[in-house]
């Protein structure tokens, strides 16, 4: 009798558990859209930007200000440029200019006229003045009834695809308290490549963003960037700047006449000068030690 009761009870429990499992599976299949072999639609907390170590002015024994250029067309820097159209990206990623553009339009962050970060710039006014004229030919019928070609010019507004480089202002320094050479990015500026009818182009710096602004740091920390090494491990634009996951070259450093390299050197000579500045900064840390 006891064996029969146990068998009946076991069968009942098995029936109930199977129904509950089936209900859970049905609800999950009905309410979840899968684009992977696991559920990746969980709500994530807002990420916090990297906190730099505190540095006292008395501990800085050497400092050099450097301006760099990041070319988005270089292979390592292409994640800054793509996707060109963020609305068509299935992973919800945005290129760096689109991230900053939306934040400026929403009023979340502000931009500045120059790299001194003293005067705020009117972003809408900047956008309205960007673009170029394209020549167009159209067929027009003259008073005699003949078809003639007439040239006209049409204004084309700025295309985000024409943002192909980024300027960076940063300070390299030696901290005697930690016995390290380190760097702090102060700000960055997008460079607009303006096309022309003859196939040439000119570059125009748009505005400066103060990197150590808390609103900017939070924005970059929560903006995903494509990780070419691992799709699971997401990286943010803040990670890219902190970990120096980009390639660049020096365009200017502090000097007597406050000139950029392009003002006194061109071609290979300018590249050699840029490499020389890089090597000088690298050697600062090596010269701290005695072997």
């Amino acid at each position: 009798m006891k064996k029969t009761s146990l068998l009946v009870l076991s069968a009942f429990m098995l029936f109930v558990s199977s129904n509950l499992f089936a209900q859970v599976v049905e609800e999950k299949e009905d309410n979840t859209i899968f684009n992977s072999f696991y559920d990746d639609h969980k709500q994530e907390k807002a990420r916090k930007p990297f906190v730099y170590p505190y540095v006292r002015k008395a501990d800085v024994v050497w400092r050099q200000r450097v301006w760099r250029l990041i070319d988005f067309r270089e292979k390592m820097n292409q994640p800054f440029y793509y996707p060109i159209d963020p609305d068509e990206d299935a992973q919800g990623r945005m290129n760096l200019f689109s991230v900053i553009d939306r934040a400026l339009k929403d009023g979340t962050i502000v931009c500045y006229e120059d790299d001194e970060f003293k005067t705020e710039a009117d972003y809408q006014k900047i956008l309205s003045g960007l673009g170029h004229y394209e020549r167009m030919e159209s067929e027009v019928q003259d008073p005699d009834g003949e078809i003639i070609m007439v040239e006209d010019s049409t204004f084309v507004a700025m295309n985000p695809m024409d943002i192909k480089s980024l300027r960076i202002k940063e300070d390299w320094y030696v901290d005697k308290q930690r016995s390290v050479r380190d760097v702090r990015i102060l700000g960055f500026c997008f460079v607009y490549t303006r096309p022309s009818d003859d196939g040439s182009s000119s570059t125009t710096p748009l505005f400066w963003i103060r990197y150590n602004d808390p609103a900017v740091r939070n924005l970059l920390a929560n903006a995903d960037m494509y990780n070419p090494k691992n799709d699971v491990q997401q990286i943010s634009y803040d990670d890219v700047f902190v970990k120096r996951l980009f390639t660049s070259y020096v365009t200017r450093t502090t000097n007597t006449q406050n000139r950029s390299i392009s003002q006194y050197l061109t071609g290979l000579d300018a590249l050699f000068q840029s490499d020389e500045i890089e090597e000088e900064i690298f050697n600062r840390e090596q010269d701290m030690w005695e072997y």
Side-chain angles (χ1 to χ4, degrees):
M1 184 68 181
K2 291 183 179 180
K3 292 183 178 180
T4 305
S5 300
L6 289 173
L7 290 173
V8 172
L9 181 60
S10 300
F12 176 75
M13 295 298 295
L14 181 63
F15 175 76
V16 171
S17 61
S18 62
N19 284 342
L20 289 174
F21 177 75
Q23 184 178 1
V24 171
V25 172
E26 289 176 0
E27 289 179 355
K28 199 171 189 63
E29 290 179 351
D30 291 341
N31 299 330
T32 306
I33 299 176
F34 289 97
N35 190 30
S36 179
F37 58 91
Y38 58 86
D39 186 1
D40 58 354
H41 293 80
K42 296 181 180 179
Q43 294 290 334
E44 295 185 358
K45 295 182 179 179
R47 287 173 288 186
K48 295 182 179 180
F50 173 78
V51 179
Y52 287 99
Y54 175 74
V55 179
R56 297 190 313 148
K57 181 179 180 180
D59 293 332
V60 178
V61 296
W62 172 84
R63 189 189 74 172
Q64 185 171 5
R65 183 153 293 174
V66 175
W67 287 260
R68 296 178 177 274
L69 184 70
I70 300 177
D71 192 339
F72 294 164
R73 292 167 294 186
E74 295 189 21
K75 184 177 181 180
M76 189 173 180
N77 300 329
Q78 287 184 359
F80 284 102
Y81 187 73
Y82 294 100
I84 296 175
D85 189 353
D87 296 331
E88 296 182 359
D89 184 70
Q91 299 179 10
R93 295 179 293 111
M94 299 172 64
N95 59 64
L96 181 59
F97 178 76
S98 297
V99 172
I100 299 299
D101 174 64
R102 293 190 181 184
L104 287 172
K105 290 178 178 177
D106 294 340
T108 308
I109 62 175
V110 296
C111 58
Y112 296 86
E113 293 183 355
D114 53 33
D115 58 3
E116 294 297 325
F117 310 110
K118 294 180 179 179
T119 306
E120 292 187 13
D122 187 342
Y123 183 59
Q124 295 298 335
K125 184 177 180 180
I126 293 174
L127 288 182
S128 63
L130 295 177
H132 65 282
Y133 286 91
E134 286 187 355
R135 292 182 181 179
M136 300 182 62
E137 292 186 352
S138 58
E139 295 182 352
V140 179
Q141 188 175 5
D142 64 5
D144 297 331
E146 296 183 1
I147 303 298
I148 58 175
M149 301 298 295
V150 177
E151 287 189 0
D152 193 9
S153 59
T154 304
F155 181 77
V156 180
M158 184 199 74
N159 191 328
M161 293 177 58
D162 296 327
I163 306 296
K164 299 179 180 179
S165 56
L166 184 76
R167 293 181 181 178
I168 288 183
K169 178 184 178 182
E170 60 189 11
D171 277 345
W172 287 87
Y173 65 95
V174 172
D175 184 357
K176 69 177 183 180
Q177 181 68 26
R178 295 183 294 140
S179 299
V180 296
R181 178 210 59 184
D182 210 344
V183 60
R184 297 290 176 87
I185 296 177
L186 304 179
F188 56 86
C189 170
F190 293 98
V191 180
Y192 170 54
T193 303
R194 190 190 305 269
S196 59
D197 294 334
D198 58 1
S200 61
S201 60
S202 60
T203 57
T204 303
L206 300 185
F207 50 82
W208 280 88
I209 300 293
R210 187 165 65 90
Y211 178 73
N212 55 355
D213 182 351
V216 174
R217 293 293 308 283
N218 287 326
L219 174 68
L220 298 177
N222 290 277
D224 290 334
M225 180 181 181
Y226 171 66
N227 185 355
K229 302 296 183 181
N230 189 349
D231 286 347
V232 176
Q233 187 67 37
Q234 293 182 341
I235 59 176
S236 66
Y237 285 105
D238 189 60
D239 296 329
V240 173
F241 286 123
V242 171
K243 299 177 181 179
R244 313 286 294 182
L245 302 178
F246 57 84
T247 180
S248 63
Y249 59 90
V250 176
T251 59
R252 177 185 163 198
T253 185
T254 48
N255 57 82
T256 305
Q257 301 182 31
N258 199 27
R259 297 183 301 172
S260 62
I261 296 176
S262 61
Q263 289 180 296
Y264 59 92
L265 291 173
T266 58
L268 289 177
D269 292 333
L271 293 177
F272 290 150
Q273 179 66 20
S274 176
D275 291 340
E276 185 177 337
I277 295 173
E278 293 275 15
E279 186 176 359
E280 178 185 351
I281 294 174
F282 175 79
N283 289 335
R284 283 290 175 179
E285 186 176 25
Q286 304 302 313
D287 295 341
M288 291 171 56
W289 307 100
E290 295 182 2
Y291 299 94

